[in-house]
Amino acid sequence: MLKYDFGDGVAGFSTETGDLIDYEIIVPVYQAHGTKVSVIRNSSIIPDTNGVDAIVTNVKGLTIGVKTADCVPILIYDSSQKVIAAIHSGWKGTIANITGCVIEIMRKEFDSSPTDIKAVIGPCIHVESFEVGDEVYLEFKNKGYGHFCRRMYMPNCSGDEKWHVDLPSVCRHQLLDRGITDIELRNECTYRQFPRFYSARRMKEELGNNRMLNCICL
């Protein structure tokens, strides 16, 4: 299990394969790769999390999280307003800037300021392993993220050069664009470090319901 240092009063972590969690975590029932965010203000009133890709709360003792297996997990803590968030940002959610949506909700709902926020971008697929088709590259390019894409060979493969996207760096850019500078970007690649982490691209149908949990709690 990877544990993150957010400072006093908050705990954050990402699980590895084989890790067992013996307490309740609020996670989306189904992550839709969109920008829907669930805000929890009361532990006894949990809104429907079906189809959401991020959760925000200021409730102490409530563990929130997102499930990943190559997609980008982002954990956020506002040390001033005591607000936390967990974000699932796949390539579709990254293009739609779900991270920016969450930061805006924290600003509007809890008066969060970027200078008080720390973010951790957890283990995910990195650029060397995230090969995409021309149509996906064009979507990133058209959104202004072309400089996060490059032509390269897939490691240990004999195929031609293909487009690769640096997803975690795009997410970091989106945080910086919102004024957040306290960012920890983990260097663990879920694809290259399989089976330490679950990887949808590695496991394909064998992945089943297996996922990493990326959690944070006040």
Side-chain angles (χ1 to χ4, degrees):
M1 181 180 293
L2 288 175
K3 295 185 178 181
Y4 307 124
D5 182 11
F6 283 97
D8 294 336
V10 65
F13 64 87
S14 292
T15 61
E16 303 175 48
T17 56
D19 286 339
L20 299 177
I21 305 298
D22 60 357
Y23 51 86
E24 185 176 358
I25 300 171
I26 305 300
V27 295
V29 176
Y30 166 72
Q31 295 169 172
H33 293 264
T35 59
K36 188 176 178 181
V37 181
S38 181
V39 178
I40 302 175
R41 292 181 174 273
N42 190 321
S43 60
S44 62
I45 305 175
I46 304 299
D48 183 12
T49 61
N50 191 38
V52 310
D53 284 275
I55 299 173
V56 178
T57 188
N58 62 347
V59 179
K60 291 183 178 180
L62 190 68
T63 303
I64 59 172
V66 289
K67 301 168 286 185
T68 57
D70 286 338
C71 291
V72 183
I74 305 169
L75 301 177
I76 291 176
Y77 173 49
D78 173 354
S79 59
S80 176
Q81 302 300 325
K82 307 301 180 186
V83 180
I84 53 175
I87 305 170
H88 162 259
S89 188
W91 73 263
K92 291 181 179 178
T94 301
I95 286 177
N97 196 3
I98 184 173
T99 299
C101 293
V102 169
I103 300 303
E104 181 63 14
I105 285 173
M106 291 176 66
R107 185 188 70 80
K108 288 183 176 180
E109 298 284 336
F110 299 99
D111 199 28
S112 291
S113 170
T115 57
D116 299 318
I117 290 176
K118 175 172 182 174
V120 173
I121 300 173
C124 60
I125 195 166
H126 282 240
V127 63
E128 297 85 358
S129 306
F130 189 45
E131 181 181 289
V132 301
D134 291 349
E135 70 286 353
V136 174
Y137 158 70
L138 288 174
E139 288 201 50
F140 277 91
K141 180 182 178 182
N142 292 337
K143 284 289 187 177
Y145 302 131
H147 55 298
F148 292 103
C149 308
R150 55 180 127 152
R151 298 281 294 184
M152 60 189 299
Y153 293 103
M154 188 75 172
N156 303 318
C157 291
S158 58
D160 297 330
E161 281 189 338
K162 298 288 181 63
W163 283 109
H164 287 235
V165 179
D166 191 346
L167 272 185
S169 289
V170 176
C171 292
R172 180 177 180 273
H173 169 80
Q174 291 170 340
L175 288 164
L176 289 169
D177 192 52
R178 289 284 178 167
I180 297 168
T181 58
D182 190 356
I183 304 168
E184 179 182 351
L185 198 167
R186 302 291 303 192
N187 61 13
E188 293 91 352
C189 174
T190 49
Y191 183 91
R192 284 181 293 143
Q193 293 184 247
F194 172 81
R196 180 185 175 189
F197 303 104
Y198 291 115
S199 170
R201 289 206 168 198
R202 285 276 195 187
M203 300 176 72
K204 298 181 171 60
E205 294 83 5
E206 293 181 7
L207 178 66
N209 294 321
N210 293 308
R211 297 291 188 278
M212 295 165 53
L213 290 174
N214 309 273
C215 304
I216 189 166
C217 177
L218 290 170

